[in-house]
Amino acid sequence: MPFGLGFSVLLVLVLEWAAPDVIPFHLMTFWTVDGPFWDAFTASVVLAWPVMAVGVLVTLAGLPRQRRIQRELAWYGSPEGRVVTLGPVTLVSRSALEEIVFRWLLFYAAIAGAVAADFLVLGFAGLHPVRWVFTEVLVPVADFATFGWMHAMLTEHPWTVAAAILTSNGRFRNTHGYQGLPGWIWSWYMGMCFFLVMFEHGLPAAIALHIAYNLTIMTLHLAVTGVLPRLVFA
């Protein structure tokens, strides 16, 4: 659903107060962690390691080609736009913010968006084409693409939850277009994995895992290229 962050926050808060049944979770449902946080984090690593390992391999495969460009950006800047250095502080804050935005606020807002879209697009007449597209096409495709690993997350909740997962995760994937096609594709899998971690172990565990993964990628980038990763914004 085409909601910006500010409107999403307002929408979620209004629904939590005025129509709490629209979103089948309480506002802070995913902020709780059962048991010690370290146990939740290590369990998240065990759960997510195959996806993270492939992400590391994809990154390593592309780093040698980036070495010269990244060094030139570090030494000379870029005439094409502003160069942003992704140091530890930036990566920690960016990782935490992405989880809060895409796995919580936009996810909750997308649940409401799915309900509204289903009603407005002939749902009021009892036809429900939006629900059909998700339940019969998009969710089965996502289930197949993730090898059934996330079947329970995608099917054991109301259809609006799966629709919101796919919608919010699509937006998460699109913010990583600068990584090229392999990174763009794999960011979808990473986002789905972070959703699974959130459902299994809570949002704080997903935040910690995202931070750990990005710091690992930063360390590998520094080891191969000799400089911290840099992005160019026009």
Side-chain angles (χ1 to χ4, degrees), residues 7 40 66 70 75 103 143 158 182 190:
F7 182 77
Q66 298 181 27
Q70 285 288 314
W75 297 337
R103 244 63 68 188
D143 195 20
M190 288 298 303

Side-chain angles (χ1 to χ4, degrees), residues 1-229:
M1 300 302 122
F3 295 150
L5 178 58
F7 182 77
S8 296
V9 173
L10 179 61
L11 177 64
V12 169
L13 292 176
V14 169
L15 289 175
E16 181 72 11
W17 169 71
D21 292 337
V22 172
I23 300 174
F25 306 110
H26 295 300
L27 188 62
M28 303 302 291
T29 293
F30 295 105
W31 283 95
T32 59
V33 176
D34 294 332
F37 179 76
W38 179 249
D39 291 347
F41 174 71
T42 54
S44 299
V45 173
V46 171
L47 178 65
W49 79 263
V51 177
M52 297 178 67
V54 174
V56 168
L57 291 176
V58 169
T59 300
L60 281 174
L63 282 178
R65 297 193 304 272
Q66 298 181 27
R67 185 173 351 192
R68 180 180 61 83
I69 295 174
Q70 285 288 314
R71 288 180 175 180
E72 288 179 353
L73 289 176
W75 297 337
Y76 309 116
S78 172
E80 299 178 0
R82 181 171 58 96
V83 177
V84 175
T85 302
L86 300 180
V89 174
T90 301
L91 283 176
V92 168
S93 59
R94 184 186 178 116
S95 302
L97 184 61
E98 283 185 338
E99 289 305 302
I100 292 170
V101 170
F102 292 103
R103 244 63 68 188
W104 185 44
L105 293 173
L106 290 183
F107 167 56
Y108 273 39
I111 294 175
V115 173
D118 183 57
F119 176 78
L120 293 173
V121 184
L122 299 179
F124 60 87
L127 297 179
H128 304 287
V130 172
R131 182 172 64 189
W132 183 88
V133 168
F134 277 103
T135 58
E136 301 301 324
V137 181
L138 297 181
V139 169
V141 168
D143 195 20
F144 176 79
T146 54
F147 309 101
W149 187 30
M150 303 172 185
H151 181 76
M153 181 182 72
L154 292 171
T155 62
E156 293 184 357
H157 301 279
W159 74 271
T160 54
V161 173
I165 290 172
L166 297 180
T167 301
S168 183
N169 196 54
R171 296 183 69 173
F172 172 76
R173 174 206 59 204
N174 290 342
T175 63
H176 293 78
Y178 63 87
Q179 295 178 346
L181 183 60
W184 182 80
I185 293 173
W186 205 253
S187 65
W188 184 86
Y189 282 94
M190 288 298 303
M192 293 295 287
C193 189
F194 289 136
F195 262 116
L196 183 62
V197 168
M198 183 183 77
F199 272 81
E200 294 287 335
H201 302 293
L203 183 59
I207 292 172
L209 186 66
H210 198 156
I211 290 172
Y213 175 78
N214 279 347
L215 289 178
T216 300
I217 294 299
M218 182 201 73
T219 303
L220 291 174
H221 189 286
L222 182 60
V224 174
T225 66
V227 296
L228 289 171

